[in-house]
C-alpha cells in the first residue's frame, strides 16, 4: 500500500520487505537480527516477535544502529535500549491476566504455567508479587523447560494447585496443548492467556469448554470496528490479492501478528515524514525520536510520543502500557471485549 501510494516520505522511497522466520527459536531470532543488521540497505527491523532472544537480539540491533519498530521488548536490556520503538507492551501480560482476569471472574487464587526463559520468568515473578497486593493468592509458578514438547505434565502440576484462575505464557505450539488439555485435567475455573498466543483452531475445537477463557493484549481485534482497522483490512485484502498468503486475515493465520506487522510499517511511514536529508538508519533513528504516532479517533491504542520514554527507568522503552482484557465468545467463535475497562499496567501496585 505504501509503494502504491508513491513510497515513503519526501523522497518517495520504495520499500522492500524481507521476511525471516524464527520458529520461536532463540538462535533463529539472533540470526534474523544479524541478517537485518548485515544488510547495508536495511533501515529498520520491523515487528520482530522476540519470545526468547531478548537482549541478544537487541544487542545485534544496537551495535548496528538499527531501529527496532514495534517489537516485543521483554528483557532488561531491551526494555531500556534506545533502538527499541514498540507501540505497546507484552511484558506485563501475565500480571494483567492476573489482575484483570481476577477482576472479571472474582477469582481469589492463581497458578501459573510458563516456559523458563528469563523474560517470561521475570514477568511471572512480577505477576506473582502483584497478585498479593491485588487480593489474589499466588499458589505457585510451574515452569516448563524451553525444550519441552509435551506440556501435559506441567499443566497437571498447575491444576493440582487448585487455583480459581489459571494463567499461562507459552509458545503457540505449547499453548495449543495446554488449552486442549484443560477439559481433561479436572480444572473447572477460568483461564487467561496472551491473545496472540492462543490458536484459533484450538479455541473453536474446545467448544463450550472454552467459555471461561480470557485473553489480554494491547491491540484491538482485527474484526473490531475502528477506522484504522478498516484501513488495515483493506490493505491486507489488497496484498493478499497479489498472492501473498501471509497477508490473509483469517482466524487460522494469526491476524494479530499480521496487524502487528502492519502497525510497524504504519509507524515507519509516519516517522519517515520527519526524516531530514537522506533516508538511512541514522536519519530514521533521529526521526523516530521526535515522532508522535496517532492511531485515529476511538482506537484503543493511545497516541505514542517516542520523544518521551517511560519515567520508570527499568521499562524506559515502554511508551504505552495500556492493556485490554478480552473474552472468547463460544457462541460466535470470536474474541469480544470484556466488561473490564482497559487498564494501565504501569499503574499496578
Amino acid at each position: 500500500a505504501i509503494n502504491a501510494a508513491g513510497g515513503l516520505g519526501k523522497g518517495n522511497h520504495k520499500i522492500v520487505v524481507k521476511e525471516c522466520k524464527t520458529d520461536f527459536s532463540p538462535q533463529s531470532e539472533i540470526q534474523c537480527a544479524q541478517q537485518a543488521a548485515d544488510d547495508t540497505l536495511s533501515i529498520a527491523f520491523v515487528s520482530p516477535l522476540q519470545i526468547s532472544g531478548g537482549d541478544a537480539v537487541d544487542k545485534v540491533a544496537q551495535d548496528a544502529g538499527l531501529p527496532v519498530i514495534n517489537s516485543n521488548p521483554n528483557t532488561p536490556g531491551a526494555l531500556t535500549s534506545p533502538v527499541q520503538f514498540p507501540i505497546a507492551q507484552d511484558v506485563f501480560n501475565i500480571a494483567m491476566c492476573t489482575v484483570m482476569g481476577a477482576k472479571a471472574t472474582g477469582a481469589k487464587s492463581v497458578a501459573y504455567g510458563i516456559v523458563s526463559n528469563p523474560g517470561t520468568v521475570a514477568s511471572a515473578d512480577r505477576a506473582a508479587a502483584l497478585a498479593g497486593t491485588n487480593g489474589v493468592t499466588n499458589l505457585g509458578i510451574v515452569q516448563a523447560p524451553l525444550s519441552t514438547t509435551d506440556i501435559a505434565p506441567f499443566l497437571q502440576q498447575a491444576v493440582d494447585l487448585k487455583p480459581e484462575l489459571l494463567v499461562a505464557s507459552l509458545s503457540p505450539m505449547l499453548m495449543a496443548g495446554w488449552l486442549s488439555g484443560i477439559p481433561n485435567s479436572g480444572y473447572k475455573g477460568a483461564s487467561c492467556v496472551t491473545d496472540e498466543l492462543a490458536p484459533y483452531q484450538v479455541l473453536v475445537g474446545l467448544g463450550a469448554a472454552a467459555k471461561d477463557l480470557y485473553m489480554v493484549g494491547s491491540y484491538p481485534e482485527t474484526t473490531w470496528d475502528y477506522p484504522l482497522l478498516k484501513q488495515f483490512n483493506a490493505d491486507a485484502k489488497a496484498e493478499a490479492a497479489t498472492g501473498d498468503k501471509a497477508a490473509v486475515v483469517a482466524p487460522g493465520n494469526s491476524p494479530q501478528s499480521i496487524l502487528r506487522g502492519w502497525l510497524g510499517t504504519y509507524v515507519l511511514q509516519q516517522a519517515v515524514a520527519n526524516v531530514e536529508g537522506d533516508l538511512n538508519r541514522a536519519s530514521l533513528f533521529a526521526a523516530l525520536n521526535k515522532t508522535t504516532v496517532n492511531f485515529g479517533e476511538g482506537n484503543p491504542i493511545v497516541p505514542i510520543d517516542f520523544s518521551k520514554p517511560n519515567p520508570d527507568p527499568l521499562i524506559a522503552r515502554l511508551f504505552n502500557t495500556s492493556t485490554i482484557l478480552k473474552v472468547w465468545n463460544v457462541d460466535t467463535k470470536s474474541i469480544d471485549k470484556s466488561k473490564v475497562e482497559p487498564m494501565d499496567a504501569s499503574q499496578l501496585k
Side-chain angles (χ1 to χ4, degrees), residues 7 14 38 48 63 99 122-123 131 151 173 185 210 220 230 246 261 263 277 294:
K14 302 296 183 181
D38 291 344
D63 288 348
V99 176
S123 293
I151 198 65
M173 291 78 77
S185 69
K230 290 180 180 178
L263 286 170
N294 291 289

Side-chain angles (χ1 to χ4, degrees), residues 34 114 119 128 138 154-155 158 174 209 234 254 256 258 280 299 309 320:
Q34 193 63 60
I114 65 170
N138 167 38
F154 302 95
L155 167 62
L174 291 179
S254 190
Q256 283 284 303
I258 300 171
N280 50 45
N299 198 300
N320 170 24

Side-chain angles (χ1 to χ4, degrees), residues 35-85:
Q35 179 180 315
D38 291 344
D39 185 342
T40 57
L41 295 179
S42 68
I43 58 170
F45 194 17
V46 178
S47 199
L49 182 64
Q50 296 174 20
I51 293 293
S52 46
D55 285 355
V57 171
D58 179 78
K59 185 178 187 305
V60 172
Q62 195 166 171
D63 288 348
L66 186 67
V68 184
I69 300 175
N70 200 22
S71 68
N72 172 20
N74 62 359
T75 47
L79 286 166
T80 58
S81 169
V83 299
Q84 294 282 346
F85 296 90

Side-chain angles (χ1 to χ4, degrees), residues 37-186:
D38 291 344
D39 185 342
T40 57
L41 295 179
S42 68
I43 58 170
F45 194 17
V46 178
S47 199
L49 182 64
Q50 296 174 20
I51 293 293
S52 46
D55 285 355
V57 171
D58 179 78
K59 185 178 187 305
V60 172
Q62 195 166 171
D63 288 348
L66 186 67
V68 184
I69 300 175
N70 200 22
S71 68
N72 172 20
N74 62 359
T75 47
L79 286 166
T80 58
S81 169
V83 299
Q84 294 282 346
F85 296 90
I87 292 174
Q89 69 80 29
D90 284 320
V91 73
F92 289 109
N93 280 351
I94 303 176
M96 298 309 282
C97 256
T98 303
V99 176
M100 299 179 81
K103 188 173 182 178
T105 64
K108 297 298 183 184
S109 61
V110 62
Y112 302 93
I114 65 170
V115 286
S116 56
N117 70 60
T120 305
V121 171
S123 293
D125 287 342
R126 182 184 298 110
L130 287 168
T133 60
N134 285 273
V136 184
T137 301
N138 167 38
L139 299 179
I141 301 173
V142 176
Q143 295 187 37
L146 282 170
S147 58
T148 298
T149 57
D150 181 9
I151 198 65
F154 302 95
L155 167 62
Q156 198 59 56
Q157 287 181 44
V159 170
D160 289 346
L161 295 171
K162 302 187 184 313
E164 295 178 9
L165 177 65
L166 197 55
V167 175
S169 182
L170 307 163
S171 70
M173 291 78 77
L174 291 179
M175 188 67 81
W178 179 278
L179 294 173
S180 297
I182 287 177
N184 298 318
S185 69

